[in-house]
Structure formats: structure tokens, C-alpha cells
Amino acid sequence: MRLSRYFLPVLKETPSEAEIVSHRLMLRAGMIRQSSAGIYSWLPLGHAVLKKIEQIVREEQDRAGAVELLMPTIQPAELWRESGRYDDYGKEMLRIQDRKEREMLYGPTNEEMITEIFRASCRSYKDLPKLLYHIQWKFRDEVRPRFGIMRGREFLMKDAYSFDIDEAAARRSYNRMFVAYLNTFSRLGLKALPMRADTGPIGGDLSHEFIILAETGESQVFCDRAAVEMAPPGDVDFEGDLEPIVAERTALYAATDEMHDPAAFEALPEDRRMSARGIEVGHIFYFGTKYSAPMKATVQTPDGESVAAHMGSYGVGVSRLVGAIIEASHDESGIIWPEPVTPFGVGLVNLKPGDAEVDPVCEDLYAKLTAAGCEPLYDDTDERPGGKFARMDLIGLPWQLIVGPRGLKDGVVELKNRATGERETLSPESALARLSAG
Amino acid sequence: MRLSRYFLPVLKETPSEAEIVSHRLMLRAGMIRQSSAGIYSWLPLGHAVLKKIEQIVREEQDRAGAVELLMPTIQPAELWRESGRYDDYGKEMLRIQDRKEREMLYGPTNEEMITEIFRASCRSYKDLPKLLYHIQWKFRDEVRPRFGIMRGREFLMKDAYSFDIDEAAARRSYNRMFVAYLNTFSRLGLKALPMRADTGPIGGDLSHEFIILAETGESQVFCDRAAVEMAPPGDVDFEGDLEPIVAERTALYAATDEMHDPAAFEALPEDRRMSARGIEVGHIFYFGTKYSAPMKATVQTPDGESVAAHMGSYGVGVSRLVGAIIEASHDESGIIWPEPVTPFGVGLVNLKPGDAEVDPVCEDLYAKLTAAGCEPLYDDTDERPGGKFARMDLIGLPWQLIVGPRGLKDGVVELKNRATGERETLSPESALARLSAG
């Protein structure tokens, strides 16, 4: 992409309304623009990151055997009356009347709707297990939306739902998502810890939050350092027994403030006690027949008995992750994208557009980087070098390839690593080889 | 994908509420499920097609130089007051009050919002042209939603918006989208004709609808047969002059009922006069400063003058296309997907699951077809062959690869072409080679 054709409205000043670093950086880097309180447009740079995250989440859901569908944003109130949540859910639910005065709402979550879809066609244990997910915009009318897209009103979530014949089978579905989440967050370049959680308004017996560590995190967490150091499960057989993987992780102490047990924590060797700040990026629940029983989502067992399906739900905050990754990965100069989610692979900086020596080298590098799948962002604008450098640092692409007349006299360009700040001068060919190999 | 793990709730009976063939087939094939009037869930098979179409639309937008972003679904009323459309837009606009009694709405289109985004950062002719698009769910509270997702209330649309310094430049952006649309519809396996259109409520001077031909289409169209036979522009230089391509197409007679000029039509040689049924799948508009002037989206010209940007908007009905493609491509037995949008490339039918001869051959074919990128749907269920054949025909994958004990005695399997009905017996290796080559 040529920057001159792109739409990257970076801000010179730090917006005063932004309280946290990810919000400030997203506004400054031209990633988002507020439309109304807690509702944002995703400008091209922000959208590109959002799509990368969404795709990684999708791939790991698919790998775990979940099947994608898509439910609408607007739901009928009667569905929520069936589960009893229509009245329970407070003002956070955005309630709507359509032109025929039917009561509708903008879905804050989809347990009711997926249960309705399930019960319409699944009637037998033979139809189980079912593990379905979608990635869709949700709305929660927060009383005080803040922190940019971290606590917005309209947000993108991946929510999966499992249906099983009994608790033991439901536990296997739960484990699938547990393992999928560890892999997902690891692929996103994050250290995410599962922590036993309160089941809250969704209800149920078993629940874990997935918390990533970030100095600027919203909540206090306590954990065993061994949990932080544990590698993700990786390429496991999702048809096999996942219980050992889950057991190994859940055995290690990890708790949010709310669930913290100081005695258990103090029992750890001192060098393994870790207290840190964290951000919730995922939440999984097993809640049995809480929805299936009132909504009559029943299946026949092999014995001909009719039982309510055992359900779980599994959420990842896709849009929230954009902010969470920035909270976990930035410095004074701006964002530092982990490679898997970076909006562009490399920033190609032409220090003197219009120059007869520099332009052809840049054009050639741009074409070759594009062909090699490096997704370059080519800064071909007229601005001064200082402004170009600052902007590249701000938007945080992993690599900057800087091409100017002085270097070219010696046949070299400069390659800068955004995370470490290391710079290297090398020939354009070597730079290309290095970037293409990555 | 193994069918036993998938979620494909096909219906045995034809749903009585469905008036048109695409709606009937989408319900029968388990592609969608109605949630409330005009609002549908996209079940896995429907969702897979929707995603394929969306991706083709996206690629052709990108190729034409448009830049993707994403605007939210919920918009503030004040934006629409600025353009004057808040009161003009009737009950089709879904109006919402949030918990603080702010007036909001579910966006039926995004001219106002993109204009606000543009004016916040683009101030100079140097920032132009800008061509931005998003693919987002919209809501129009139709008084009588019908025809399934063809005239639903919540629908997925690609809408692009262009900003230029004057009418001549705006015309170049218009031409980009004109050409991109011809390529898009061609890649989707459709014959789409641009027809001069009424500008309607969006207003403006210049507008074309893109209509695909389908016997069951909603509207009557009249055109020069030469227009139907014209090849798509293909791999053109979008930075070059596109006017000749557009002029060549717009010179040929093509009009909907509303815009029909019988005299001009009758002037054609008789063998070129074609009257047919059509479905609108895209609509492009140039409307000058209709929004930019009242919303003060102005830019400085090279002379230092301040002028309102010249705008256009360009829509493709992404979810509507799913239905339109079915209207254009089906038979008595079901859907016939064009290869580029098929949810799976081939249906692998195991006629005797559990059989010691058949299972390993199917498993091997399934693994190899998957590895070759053929996206097989493997029917590993216990149903009878008759039911399996009918279901495969109904869901319309381009190829069926049928494996049974009788054929395997002679070392052969059967390959069926869904569109032509042609069947061929051949070795599993030959079938694999054939499908992988496609």
C-alpha cells in the first residue's frame, strides 16, 4: 500500500480524553475514530489489525472442531423471555421497537438464539456434540463507556456454544475451547493465563477467564510464575483426551483479585509468587441446562429418554484484543505490533520522493516486497524525514526499511527493528532477502 | 469437513412461506434460519457462501484502489440532522434511544458517517482522491420484508465512498467502481449488466444499477444482446483512463422497466433486442456535493479556494447476492453453485460407512482432497444412499465423488458433475488428480 493512497489520519497531539495508553495510541495512530460515546469507526489501520486478530481466532476455532455460522445483531425480545433474561438484563441491553412496535434488542450475547437454532433441528444424542461459533458485533449499553474500544458499547466478539448429552461430554467441549484459547492468545503474541472465575450473570458451575499480563492492565492478578512460563499446547489432537493439558494448567495458582485466596498464594515458594496487572480477553463457561431446560432444547439419549442438552459458552473479545495487545506491547514512541497481527509487515520509507536515484530503488523494493508477501506500507509522501520516522514508530510496524540518497551513494539502505531499535545498513538485496525470509 | 461434525439442518419439506426459489432452496438446504421477520441467522453452509462472496467483493475493491475500513452499525441521529436526512428518511430507518435517551439509529447507509470521517482529517486537494469502503451489516425496517434474504431487514452490504476535487475527478472514481463491479460480478459467475438508473433518495446526477439476469428475477429489463455477450474488463490498469471501457458499455442499450425507452429499444436490430428478468445486485451514484456541502466537508484547491468535495457512493448487496446467484443457478433438484462461491469444492459420499473396504478409501480421499485445497465435504453419515444423493444435489456442490463397495470391487469410484449431471467411473487416483487440477 502506498501511503499517499491510504487513509492514515495520525494526530500530532495526544487526545486529552483518552485515559489509557492503548486508547491514546489508537487515536494518535489513526486506527479509530469515535462516532458517539463508546462507538467507534475502525479506520484502515485499525481495521487491518482487527481482521488479522479475527482470522487467527477463526483458525483456532476451526482447528478445535468448532463450526462457524453467523447470527444477526438484532434479536426478538420473545426469545429472551423464554430464558427469563429479558427482564433480568438491565439497561445494558439496548432495547428497540421496530416500525410495527415489536420489541427487539441488539444482542449483547447469543445463548438464547443459538439454543433456538439448536432445538429446531437437533433431537438425538446422535446429533451431538455440537460446537458452533460466530464472530459478530454485539452491543452493551454501558453506563460509562471508556478506555476506547476496551470498554466500548459496540464491540466485536467471537462467541462459541457447545451442546452435549451430559456433563462429562460437556466437559470435553469445555476442554477443547480451553486449549484453543491458549493457542489463540499465544499466536497473537500474548501471554494469557486461565483463571478460575465467578460465573456472573451467565450462570453455571465452571468458568475460566483468560487474562493477559500488561503493566497497564485493569485488574490485579496473582499467579504462580510457572503458569506464566508454560508453553501453549500447540498442535494437539482435539479428538483425544485434553483433560491432562487442562489439569496441568489449572493446578497452578492463578486468580484475579475477586477470586484471590491469599493463603494458597502464600503457600507458593516466594520466587514463584507473582502479582501483576492483567486484562481479560476471554471467558469460558459451562452452565449445564440453564438455557436448554427453560427453552426445551432436549435430545433423546440412547435409552430413549429425553434430556436437556448440556451447554457451555466461550467468548473472545476480538475488538478488545486490539487494545489489549497495545497495552502489552508499546513504548514511548508508539505501538509495537507482534508480527502475527501487524497491519503491514514493513514500512518502506522513501526519504526523498522525486529523487532520480531513490525513487526507482523504492519502487523496486516495493514491488518485490509486495510479491514476497511482506505487505509493505510505502511512505511515498512529501513530508520531512523526522515526521516520517515518528509516524512509523507510532504505528509500530515490526520493520522499517529506510531508503535515502546518502545511503544509496554507498549502495546501502537501513533496516530498523521497531521492537529493539536496532539498525543495520545493508544492500537493498540483502534487506529484501532478510524480510522475505521472515 | 465431516458431515457428522457439521451443522447442516436440511429440510425434507418445502417451506410454505417461501415465495421464491432462492428462499425455498436456502431454507431447504439449511443455509439460513429466520429469527424474526426479515432477519436471518446464516447457518454454516449459508455463512460459507456469504464469506466467499464477501472476499471476492473485497479483492476487487482492493484491486481498484479502494481502502477498507469499518464503520459501526449504530449511528448518532445528529449526523443525519446535519445532512437533513434524519427527518426525510421514513420508517425504514430503525430509530433507537439509548439508556441516556440519546437518539441513535441502525445505519441503513453511511454517507453521513463517512463524510464526517473525511472532513475530520482531509483538508487539501493533496489528500484526494480518497476511495474508502466497508462491508458491514445494515438495517432497513422494510414494511413488508420478504423473499428471504433478498429483501431482508438486516443485510450485509459493501458500500464505498469517493471524495474528489471536482466533477471530472469524481467521474474517474465512478469509473473505477464501474469497472470493479463488472469484474466482481463476473468472478461470481454472474452476467451483470449496468443500467442507467434513477438516482432516488440518495440523490445526484449520474447513477447505474447492476442487474443480473435470472428467469425468476424481480424486475423486467430490456437490453441489447451485445451487452450481455461482452466480456468483463479483467485485469485493467485502474490508474489509467477507464472512460473507454465505461463508454463502450454504456453505449449499448440496457434499461429497467422504469427507465425503458421503447423507441430506442425498437431501433435495435430485432435479433439484438432482448427482454428478460433481472435482479439488482449493485448500485453506483455520483451525487456531487449533496452531503459535503451541508456537512462542510471542504478541501482547499491548489489556488487556495475552499470547495466542497465531490462525492459518489457505490453499493453491492453482499447477502442479497447469495440469493441472486441461486436464482440464476439452480434446477429441480436444488442449487448449482458456481465454483468461485461454492461452500465446499466437492462432496465425498461414502455409500457404506463402517465398511472395511470403503472407509479407508474415503478417509484417504478426504485427507488428500483436503491437502490439495479442494475443500471436501465428507458425507460419513449412516443415511441411505438415496437420501445422501438428494442432499448433495440440493446443496449444489460442483462435484460429487461417490464411493461404494460395488465400484471398489472394480477399483473405481464415480465422479458426478452437478451442473451437467454427467457421471464418470474412474480410479480414485484419477478422480483425485482431476479434482486437484480444477
Side-chain angles (χ1 to χ4, degrees), chain A residues 33 42 73 99 141 154, chain B residues 42 70 73 99 116 141 154:
Chain A
R33 179 169 176 79
W42 293 77
T73 60
R99 69 189 295 165
D141 203 357
E154 187 170 332
Chain B
W42 293 78
L70 187 63
T73 60
R99 67 189 295 164
E116 194 282 329
D141 204 357
E154 187 170 331

Side-chain angles (χ1 to χ4, degrees), chain A residues 79-241:
Chain A
L79 255 185
W80 289 68
R81 293 220 170 81
E82 285 193 51
S83 72
R85 282 210 290 185
Y86 190 67
D87 295 323
D88 294 353
Y89 229 100
K91 289 197 160 185
E92 272 198 17
M93 180 185 273
L94 188 66
R95 293 158 206 257
I96 302 169
Q97 277 208 342
D98 73 6
R99 69 189 295 165
K100 294 193 172 155
E101 293 179 4
R102 281 173 293 216
E103 289 175 287
M104 316 287 286
L105 58 101
Y106 198 122
T109 176
N110 286 67
E111 281 80 8
E112 284 80 359
M113 191 175 274
I114 197 78
T115 302
E116 194 282 329
I117 289 170
F118 172 84
R119 77 178 173 194
S121 69
C122 296
R123 308 259 158 76
S124 158
Y125 70 95
K126 290 183 197 164
D127 297 322
L128 303 179
K130 278 286 167 272
L131 187 47
L132 304 168
Y133 76 98
H134 77 158
I135 302 175
Q136 178 62 293
W137 293 89
K138 312 282 190 294
F139 202 96
R140 287 188 194 157
D141 203 357
E142 299 265 357
V143 64
R144 194 159 91 81
R146 61 204 149 130
F147 305 150
I149 50 78
M150 293 282 282
R151 188 157 301 191
R153 294 199 290 168
E154 187 170 332
F155 59 97
L156 186 61
M157 195 162 121
K158 184 286 300 178
D159 37 327
Y161 302 91
S162 62
F163 298 87
D164 284 282
I165 195 71
D166 56 24
E167 185 170 344
R171 174 78 199 203
R172 287 193 289 276
S173 295
Y174 188 91
N175 287 349
R176 274 181 197 248
M177 287 296 110
F178 190 105
V179 171
Y181 277 28
L182 292 172
N183 284 338
T184 302
F185 298 125
S186 166
R187 275 190 65 192
L188 293 172
L190 297 169
K191 276 277 174 204
L193 292 176
M195 304 200 180
R196 203 171 177 84
D198 215 1
T199 52
I202 291 197
D205 302 326
L206 177 62
S207 174
H208 285 90
E209 289 179 334
F210 287 76
I211 308 266
I212 63 153
L213 303 184
E215 273 175 40
T216 48
E218 63 201 350
S219 53
Q220 188 68 32
V221 299
F222 302 88
C223 63
D224 186 333
R225 196 175 298 276
V228 181
E229 283 157 11
M230 198 171 268
D235 198 12
V236 304
D237 174 14
F238 278 95
E239 303 306 318
D241 183 9

Side-chain angles (χ1 to χ4, degrees), chain A residues 14 16 31 92 143 170 180 201 240 253 257 275 296 336:
Chain A
T14 297
S16 59
M31 291 179 64
E92 272 198 17
V143 64
Y253 189 83
D257 223 357
S275 122
K296 301 189 176 53
I336 303 170

